[in-house]
Structure formats: C-alpha cells, structure tokens
Amino acid sequence: MASENYGPRLEGFDYPFAVDYFQFDSQGQQLEMAYMDIRPETPNGQTIVLLHGKNFCAATWEGTIHFLADNGYRVIAPDQIGFCKSSKPEHYQFSFHQLSANTSALLKQLDVKTYLIMGHSMGGMLATRHALLNPEKIEQLVMVNPIGLEDWMAKGVPYRSIDDWYQNELKTNADSIRKYQQNTYYAGSWEPGYDRWVNMQAGMFTGPGKKIVAWNSALTYDMVLTQPVFYEFENLQVPTLLLIGEQDSTAVGKNLAPETQRAELGNYPKISQEVADRIPNATLITFKELGHSPQIQAPDKFHQTLIENLLRP
C-alpha cells in the first residue's frame, strides 16, 4: 500500500520546484494546467520543454531538471490535462493533437517561441505529434524510451473499451505499480528512491479522488492505443535524438494480446532501430543494461549522454 493517499490533483505531494497553473478554456470548460518553470542562474539562451509519460508526472523529471538548469537551460515541465496536478475533467476528448495544442497555449503564455522538446514514454508520442505540428518552433526533438514505436493494435492487441480500462484502473495499488516498475522501468533492479514515484502514483489511485483519477487514466489509455504516431515518423522535419534503455519491454495492452504474439511486442532494441532508420535526421543511442526509465535508473550516465547530444544554437 502507498504510505499516503493524495488528492485527485496530487494534493499533498510536494513537487521539487514551485508549481504554477495555466488557466484556459478547452472543450467548453475552464481547465488548469500545472507546470514548473525553472530559470537557470546562468542562462545559455535555450529552453527545453519536458513531457512526462502515462504513469509519470512532471515531478519525475526532478533529477533531469536540476541537471539541465545547472547547464544553463530554462526548463518548463507541465502536467498534461488529466494527469497529476492538472485538471481531471469528467468529459474530455483526449487526443495528442489536443494535448499538443494545450502545450502550445502554455508556451505562448510564457512567451517561449523556440525550444527543444523532450518526451519520455507516452510523452515521446506527444512530443512526436507536437514536433510534426510545430516544426518551425522545435530546435530538437528528444525521445526517451517512447512508447508508440510500434502499432500495438496492428500487432494483435485487441481494442479494450474505456469502461473496461476504467474497471482495470480502479484496481491500481502500490504493490501492482512497484512490481510493474521493477520489471519494466528498472530492468529487475530496485533502489529505495524509486518508492517515492510509486507512492506518488499509487496515492492518487487510493485517495479520495480515485474514481476521477481512474476515469482519466482510462480515457488516456484509449488515446494511447487508438492514436498511433507510428506511421508518421518519416514526416519529422526536426533533428531527433532517441535515448533508449534496451531492457525496456513496454507495450500497451501486451497482456491482452494472444500469447503467440505477446513476445513480439515491446522489443526495444529492434523497434528503436527500425524507427531511427525511418526518421530523416535521427541519432539513436542505446543503454544495453537499462530499462524504461534510464534517466532515473542511471541519472549520471543518462545526463552525460544527453548533454553531449543536445544541439546548441
């Protein structure tokens, strides 16, 4: 069990930096998008936007934010609508196009005109969509173990209704999260510091807002499964860096696929190379011993590799 229960917008869980809220109207309702905007002591003139994954929050970029700010980057890390400290609407047509537009509105409010963008896990799918829609604004696209490097439904994962996703998400607890993270995020290893991120996620699913949290999670699972970016990698017009932990095996809905096809899903060494070959200006760097979250599992190695490959003006 999680050590604490948190509110539906992660009330009670402290972020590593000050959190601000961008208020805007979308789909007939007023929403709030939480974000951190970290200004470096010695700016290098560049801004990098960090996009979290499906089971992550902006806070899980903590170590990366410190590292990038120490190296002169202004860092903007939002929680997308439906996640973490942002609004969780009862009714919302979730799409990567919509989340990209929300992110663009935030950046316009902050007067950020050009930037690097880095997405992890689901954030890699969103960052891809955002780069496809805004090539003139993106200096570089970085994807850290993105999901969406394959089309799961085309590979045998059956459609699952939102109602079924919802019932499944209501069962989420700290034990199930920890087991999944150990196997997938950290290649079988575990460090005490990882418990903070387990409790962050589990606390929302066991707290007083667990139903709306589970509902938004179900809606966004439907988005992830039915809105592939897989077929558009050739259309990317920006320099792209893929940083891949090869021990990752993430594939949405893998457990729903026929057993004979399950083993083919989430083969990151294979699918990352195939996608890198399709992106016109791509660099692929792999970490053979790391899992889905290399920035958390081996931060020093990851950050050194990252800084050596970020493009400067």
Side-chain angles (χ1 to χ4, degrees):
M1 297 293 292
S3 59
E4 293 189 46
N5 291 333
Y6 300 120
R9 291 180 58 177
L10 210 46
E11 294 92 342
F13 183 90
D14 292 332
Y15 273 26
F17 303 94
V19 177
D20 292 310
Y21 293 90
F22 171 52
Q23 295 185 342
F24 64 106
D25 290 326
S26 179
Q27 300 184 20
Q29 56 195 311
Q30 187 175 79
L31 301 174
E32 287 189 334
M33 191 172 181
Y35 68 95
M36 295 178 286
D37 184 0
I38 299 89
R39 309 267 185 152
E41 291 186 9
T42 308
N44 66 11
Q46 286 186 288
T47 297
I48 185 164
V49 179
L50 305 183
L51 302 181
H52 63 78
K54 176 75 172 68
N55 298 316
F56 301 82
C57 298
T60 47
W61 286 112
E62 179 175 3
T64 301
I65 294 172
H66 279 293
F67 178 82
L68 290 169
D70 288 346
N71 280 274
Y73 291 89
R74 178 184 179 184
V75 184
I76 298 171
D79 281 338
Q80 295 298 325
I81 295 300
F83 295 87
C84 309
K85 288 187 177 291
S86 290
S87 297
K88 294 181 177 61
E90 291 187 16
H91 303 285
Y92 201 65
Q93 181 61 53
F94 278 99
S95 70
F96 288 117
H97 287 79
Q98 180 68 71
L99 298 187
S100 172
N102 296 349
T103 302
S104 290
L106 168 65
L107 296 175
K108 182 178 180 181
Q109 174 77 13
L110 297 176
D111 196 30
V112 176
K113 295 180 172 61
T114 60
Y115 45 94
L116 302 90
I117 194 161
M118 179 160 63
H120 171 235
S121 192
M122 182 203 75
M125 291 184 78
L126 176 54
T128 298
R129 175 61 60 208
H130 190 77
L132 288 165
L133 293 170
N134 302 278
E136 73 287 354
K137 298 178 182 178
I138 307 299
E139 297 169 12
Q140 185 179 19
L141 166 64
V142 183
M143 290 190 278
V144 182
N145 280 78
I147 60 172
L149 299 181
E150 57 191 337
D151 182 347
W152 306 290
M153 293 184 74
K155 283 187 165 186
V157 173
Y159 178 75
R160 187 184 219 174
S161 73
I162 292 172
D163 290 324
D164 285 346
W165 277 117
Y166 174 62
Q167 292 302 320
N168 187 70
E169 291 302 278
L170 285 173
K171 302 172 187 174
T172 301
N173 58 54
D175 290 338
S176 65
I177 292 170
R178 185 177 292 103
K179 181 179 179 181
Y180 179 76
Q181 290 191 3
Q182 183 171 12
N183 291 336
T184 308
Y185 295 4
Y186 309 118
S189 67
W190 195 261
E191 298 290 339
Y194 302 160
D195 283 316
R196 169 170 162 79
W197 309 123
V198 171
N199 292 334
M200 175 191 71
Q201 185 186 1
M204 286 189 292
F205 281 92
T206 57
K210 62 183 180 182
K211 289 185 177 180
I212 193 64
V213 170
W215 180 244
N216 275 250
S217 185
L219 293 174
T220 51
Y221 264 122
D222 187 78
M223 171 185 72
V224 166
L225 194 60
T226 63
Q227 298 180 30
V229 295
F230 174 74
Y231 302 100
E232 299 174 69
F233 287 118
E234 287 89 349
N235 298 330
L236 283 168
Q237 301 175 41
V238 302
T240 301
L241 173 65
L242 291 108
L243 299 174
I244 304 294
E246 290 194 351
Q247 298 302 309
D248 192 1
S249 59
T250 303
V252 174
K254 181 193 289 191
N255 62 314
L256 305 175
E259 191 172 351
T260 54
Q261 294 168 278
R262 219 171 286 164
E264 299 298 317
L265 297 170
N267 183 343
Y268 267 78
K270 180 175 183 286
I271 61 178
S272 62
Q273 184 62 65
E274 290 174 349
V275 167
D277 289 342
R278 292 170 51 204
I279 297 173
N281 186 6
T283 300
L284 170 64
I285 298 174
T286 62
F287 308 96
K288 292 188 181 301
E289 73 282 12
L290 302 182
H292 186 64
S293 297
Q295 75 277 24
I296 299 174
Q297 187 181 0
D300 291 343
K301 182 174 186 176
F302 175 84
H303 292 137
Q304 186 58 39
T305 302
L306 174 65
I307 201 70
E308 289 173 356
N309 288 277
L310 287 180
L311 298 181
R312 307 303 286 263

